[in-house]
Amino acid sequence: IENLPANYKEKDAPGPTYIYPHILILAKSYTRNNETQNIFNTTQDLYNWYKSLTSSLENDNTSIKAQVELLTEKAKTDEEKIKNIYYWVQDNIRYIAFEDGIAGFKPDEASNVYNKRYGDCKGMANLTKQMLIEAGFDARLTWIGTKRIAYDYSTPNLSVDNHMICALKLNDTFIFLDGTEKFNAYKEYANRIQGKQVLIEDGEAFILKTVPEVESAFNKKTYNYSFIINNDMIEGKGSKKFNGESRASLLYTFDMLKNDKKDMFLEYYLNNGNSNIKVSNIETTDLLNRELNLNITYDISVKNAVSTFDNDVYVDIDFDKELDDFQLEKRKTDYIFSFKSSLESTTSLKIPNGYTITQIPENINISSKNYDIAVSFTKNNDAIIYKKVIDLKKAIIETSDFEEWNQFIAKLKNIYNEQIV
């Protein structure tokens, strides 16, 4: 290979093993004095080395026994016990990545992570495992490579994985628990590990499984607005609902803020940082309960959304403008979203008495294997119904899609720039 172009850094790109030519050195074995010693010739060899590290752990659970008893003593079911332990780790152990020497591969003692209240993914997985074992469950350490890595365990090498979680065997089924995902509910898995192969400890052997995947609808966002015109403003009610990772990511951001900033954050989030938009009377579901879908309702008014010239009234009813600046003209790599997602946004604008519609934008839609997007305007009795559906089915825009994608985004921007008359 000669004269390859330099590496290019682009945000939200696939992992480097997907897009760059590279050589992966496999240390399979060595021969000395006519005797061959395997290193990582098979997946079993790789597992044996990992097991040699985990078997050296003392796992003295004395310090965690009282906490486990406190978390489980009032639980009525096994599932409630598991959730109490899993959520406690999520809420109380701070994730700090640590990859220095052998510590990049060997988990920290569960008692150390518990006492320090922080750990990397391996330490958090080990703490989760040991707490569940103390509660009487079959929990196991589990190695996994996130979607950043192109390989699976058919290639026995230390570059196959970059993460560790806990696998819980319950009724002959494995449930995966990742303490680093702070607001993922029990049996919910982050997009970064969905569909990825895992290596589960099983004594001297190992078990290979795959983390279940979900459809984009699992992470659906639903927006609803109902407006009337009041002089130069539109005003009315708004509601937003968040499911799956859409919910988890918002709750994580919300939780990171200081308490005195949370109301300010909600207001800023709902008005898109736009001083023309005022929101009030905000009500939400429990922002600390990761198992509930997140619902937000509020009153909303938008200044400078209405202009009047002679007998014509011009109205702008879209202030979210999703994907407004999302043309990918100079990009060289696929664009990777954080997770699959689905948005359904519906806006109703009441037509004032004595007025008729003289102009609304044209409907547009696009459909591909990776995404479906549709924007439509309809007249329903005395209201205009403006609907957007954006379904990112695979959480990716491939380079082969860029031309079609950019043409559609240009049409979408035109709609955003048009007004209803």
Side-chain angles (χ1 to χ4, degrees):
I1 298 175
E2 294 181 332
N3 300 323
L4 284 174
N7 288 6
Y8 30 82
K9 292 184 178 180
E10 292 185 317
K11 186 179 179 182
D12 300 308
T17 49
Y18 288 97
I19 58 177
Y20 295 128
H22 62 282
I23 297 173
L24 182 64
I25 306 299
L26 302 180
K28 289 176 173 285
S29 63
Y30 67 88
T31 302
R32 184 180 182 185
N33 297 329
N34 295 321
E35 184 175 332
T36 299
Q37 177 68 47
N38 284 343
I39 304 176
F40 296 140
N41 190 46
T42 65
T43 305
Q44 183 68 53
D45 294 329
L46 177 63
Y47 174 73
N48 289 345
W49 187 73
Y50 282 155
K51 187 176 184 301
S52 71
L53 299 180
T54 59
S55 295
S56 66
L57 297 172
E58 294 181 5
N59 285 322
D60 179 359
N61 293 341
T62 304
S63 61
I64 68 175
K65 288 180 182 292
Q67 184 66 58
V68 171
E69 184 176 341
L70 183 65
L71 292 169
T72 58
E73 61 184 355
K74 295 181 180 179
K76 297 178 181 178
T77 64
D78 283 348
E79 184 171 279
E80 190 177 348
K81 292 178 182 178
I82 296 164
K83 287 180 180 180
N84 288 350
I85 291 171
Y86 180 38
Y87 295 161
W88 186 91
V89 173
Q90 287 183 323
D91 292 341
N92 293 277
I93 304 300
R94 184 178 181 185
Y95 170 70
I96 298 179
F98 192 71
E99 300 176 355
D100 183 23
I102 200 66
F105 303 96
K106 182 179 179 180
D108 196 2
E109 300 282 353
S111 57
N112 290 342
V113 178
Y114 175 79
N115 291 327
K116 292 183 298 186
R117 292 295 199 268
Y118 69 83
D120 63 7
C121 63
K122 300 178 296 297
M124 295 176 76
N126 191 36
L127 175 60
T128 305
K129 170 190 171 179
Q130 295 303 323
M131 293 181 78
L132 288 168
I133 286 175
E134 284 299 317
F137 295 102
D138 181 357
R140 310 179 185 196
L141 294 178
T142 300
W143 292 262
I144 183 172
T146 65
K147 286 187 175 179
R148 178 174 173 79
I149 295 177
Y151 304 109
D152 64 17
Y153 287 100
S154 63
T155 304
N157 187 273
L158 294 179
S159 59
V160 169
D161 49 52
N162 60 351
H163 192 37
M164 182 179 277
I165 59 177
C166 176
L168 171 70
K169 189 176 184 182
L170 194 65
N171 300 325
D172 294 324
T173 300
F174 280 106
I175 299 162
F176 303 107
L177 307 173
D178 185 352
T180 68
E181 296 292 341
K182 292 300 183 184
F183 280 94
N184 276 27
Y186 179 61
K187 296 185 180 180
E188 284 187 11
Y189 308 124
N191 181 72
R192 67 189 183 121
I193 66 171
Q194 287 178 29
K196 293 293 291 185
Q197 193 179 54
V198 294
L199 180 75
I200 306 171
E201 62 179 347
D202 190 36
E204 297 301 318
F206 61 88
I207 297 171
L208 292 177
K209 292 288 185 180
T210 301
V211 178
E213 292 195 73
V214 301
E215 300 298 323
S216 57
F218 186 81
N219 304 317
K220 187 173 183 178
K221 297 184 290 187
T222 305
Y223 298 171
N224 283 289
Y225 302 105
S226 178
F227 287 124
I228 63 170
I229 295 175
N230 184 5
N231 296 321
D232 67 340
M233 296 194 305
I234 55 174
E235 56 187 24
K237 300 283 187 180
S239 71
K240 294 189 173 185
K241 298 180 180 179
F242 302 85
N243 303 315
E245 288 200 72
S246 295
R247 178 208 68 235
S249 60
L250 182 57
L251 289 181
Y252 179 75
T253 303
F254 185 79
D255 184 69
M256 291 290 288
L257 298 171
K258 295 180 180 178
N259 287 329
D260 61 349
K261 302 291 185 183
K262 290 182 177 180
D263 289 342
M264 187 184 302
F265 164 75
L266 278 177
E267 185 173 344
Y268 183 86
Y269 177 78
L270 295 171
N271 69 15
N272 297 326
N274 187 337
S275 59
N276 284 319
I277 301 173
K278 182 180 179 181
V279 297
S280 58
N281 300 324
I282 302 172
E283 295 184 5
T284 71
T285 48
D286 185 358
L287 297 177
L288 299 177
N289 190 335
R290 74 207 76 203
E291 295 187 348
L292 293 178
N293 292 331
L294 174 58
N295 297 337
I296 307 175
T297 60
Y298 52 99
D299 295 333
I300 180 170
S301 62
V302 186
K303 292 191 299 183
N304 301 320
V306 182
S307 302
T308 303
F309 298 95
D310 297 328
N311 291 325
D312 290 332
V313 178
Y314 300 83
V315 187
D316 182 1
I317 63 171
D318 191 331
F319 47 84
D320 289 323
K321 294 181 169 55
E322 293 86 3
L323 304 176
D324 181 29
D325 194 22
F326 221 93
Q327 287 186 305
L328 304 169
E329 294 176 338
K330 296 181 180 180
R331 192 177 178 91
K332 299 179 184 294
T333 63
D334 297 345
Y335 187 95
I336 306 296
F337 293 93
S338 298
F339 49 85
K340 302 172 188 175
S341 64
S342 174
L343 167 70
E344 182 175 314
S345 174
T346 304
T347 302
S348 171
L349 175 68
K350 189 175 186 303
I351 302 170
N353 291 334
Y355 283 82
T356 57
I357 303 301
T358 59
Q359 179 180 310
I360 56 175
E362 293 184 4
N363 299 339
I364 58 171
N365 66 80
I366 186 174
S367 182
S368 82
K369 64 179 181 180
N370 293 322
Y371 48 80
D372 294 327
I373 308 175
V375 178
S376 65
F377 295 82
T378 57
K379 183 177 181 297
N380 183 14
N381 296 325
D382 61 346
I384 298 168
I385 308 300
Y386 169 46
K387 190 166 186 176
K388 282 182 291 185
V389 176
I390 301 173
D391 190 4
L392 302 173
K393 297 180 286 188
K394 303 293 184 183
I396 185 173
I397 307 170
E398 298 180 54
T399 53
S400 57
D401 293 329
F402 282 3
E403 183 177 357
E404 182 184 54
W405 172 271
N406 289 333
Q407 290 174 356
F408 181 81
I409 295 299
K411 294 179 181 178
L412 185 63
K413 287 170 69 73
N414 286 338
I415 285 182
Y416 289 157
N417 291 329
E418 285 188 55
Q419 294 176 311
I420 293 170
V421 183

